Amino acid sequence: RVELEVRPGDPMTERLVADVEGRPLFVDDDIALLADLCSLTATAIEREEMLIGLGEARREAEESRSVRASEARFRALLEADPNAILALGEDGKVTWATRIAGELFGAPVDRLVGVPLSDLVALPREESTTTLDERPVFRAETTGRRIDGTHFPAEMARSSFELDGRPFQVAVISDVSWRHEADQIRDRFLGVLSHELRTPVTSIYGGTQLLLGRGARLDPETRNELLVSVAAEA
């Protein structure tokens, strides 16, 4: 029986085992033939392993392309959102941001990467909680802070997720300056309306009190003038 290493020097090598029949005179020739067979077998194994490696590399490349395509579609959907969207790492720092986020905070997107969320918005002490697909979403009114130091009223919604076993967060931030301006306009309008209503009501009240208190002592012409005035104010 002859045993030869297919790939000499490799501790994990396969072994070729052969039972050689014949006289000892020809055993050396048989061993040389088996050595050649080992060499061919080693070449075949290496070729097969290379093909397997190429197949795995191609499969990984296809999976990587698929992941990149899916990520590109996902990012395109996020970029289409009119609100600022930030992805946050477990340390609370920005790992990715949409173009709208760069415009909102007044900085290029790459400059936002690595910035703590607390530098961009005042972290609220109290948040309301809603549930979306069994995942809690935290909402709060807060104040945003641009890179140049200016502030703006904002609303923020945050939710957590896991990627490759690591915790991440996504934060959606909206500038609600328009709503504050609308509230101010409404308050001014109600103030003006109240004043404009109060003036004729005061005149109506004064005229009716005069008619009620002294109407009997007034001459008909004066009473008619007061009634005409009250009717006009009304």
Side-chain angles (χ1 to χ4, degrees), residues 1 12 16 26-27 32 97 112 127 167 181 189 206 208 212 227:
R1 171 165 292 191
M12 303 297 294
L16 183 65
F26 300 103
V27 170
L112 294 178
E127 295 176 305
E181 294 173 357
F189 171 74
T208 53
L212 289 173
L227 289 173

Side-chain angles (χ1 to χ4, degrees), residues 39-52:
S39 177
L40 292 174
T41 303
T43 302
I45 292 174
E46 291 175 355
R47 180 176 179 277
E48 189 67 22
E49 289 178 344
M50 182 182 67
L51 291 175
I52 292 173

Side-chain angles (χ1 to χ4, degrees), residues 40-201:
L40 292 174
T41 303
T43 302
I45 292 174
E46 291 175 355
R47 180 176 179 277
E48 189 67 22
E49 289 178 344
M50 182 182 67
L51 291 175
I52 292 173
L54 288 174
E56 291 178 350
R58 182 173 60 185
R59 185 166 54 253
E60 290 176 358
E62 290 175 352
E63 291 176 354
S64 178
R65 283 196 297 270
S66 176
V67 169
R68 287 198 300 270
S70 177
E71 182 181 354
R73 289 193 295 269
F74 180 66
R75 290 196 177 199
L77 288 173
L78 294 182
E79 289 288 359
D81 194 287
N83 301 305
I85 300 179
L86 305 172
L88 309 170
E90 52 189 327
D91 57 358
K93 295 182 178 179
V94 177
T95 59
W96 181 80
T98 59
R99 175 183 55 83
I100 297 298
E103 295 177 357
L104 178 61
F105 292 104
V109 172
D110 55 357
R111 188 176 171 187
L112 294 178
V113 175
V115 176
L117 178 64
S118 57
D119 287 355
L120 299 175
V121 295
L123 297 182
R125 295 182 179 180
E126 296 182 359
E127 295 176 305
S128 61
T129 306
T130 57
T131 302
L132 180 64
D133 296 334
E134 299 182 354
R135 179 176 299 169
V137 178
F138 304 96
R139 303 178 184 275
E141 292 190 3
T142 181
T143 300
R145 184 165 45 245
R146 298 184 179 90
I147 297 299
D148 61 6
T150 57
H151 296 75
F152 60 92
E155 282 185 349
M156 179 174 63
R158 295 185 301 114
S159 183
S160 301
F161 65 96
E162 283 193 5
L163 181 63
D164 295 333
R166 295 174 56 193
F168 288 86
Q169 283 189 339
V170 59
V172 181
I173 301 170
S174 305
D175 183 352
V176 293
S177 299
W178 61 271
R179 194 173 67 191
H180 285 242
E181 294 173 357
D183 290 342
Q184 292 175 359
I185 292 174
R186 182 194 61 190
D187 292 342
R188 287 198 299 269
F189 171 74
L190 291 178
V192 171
L193 182 63
S194 175
H195 177 269
E196 293 298 325
L197 287 176
R198 190 181 300 114
T199 301
V201 168

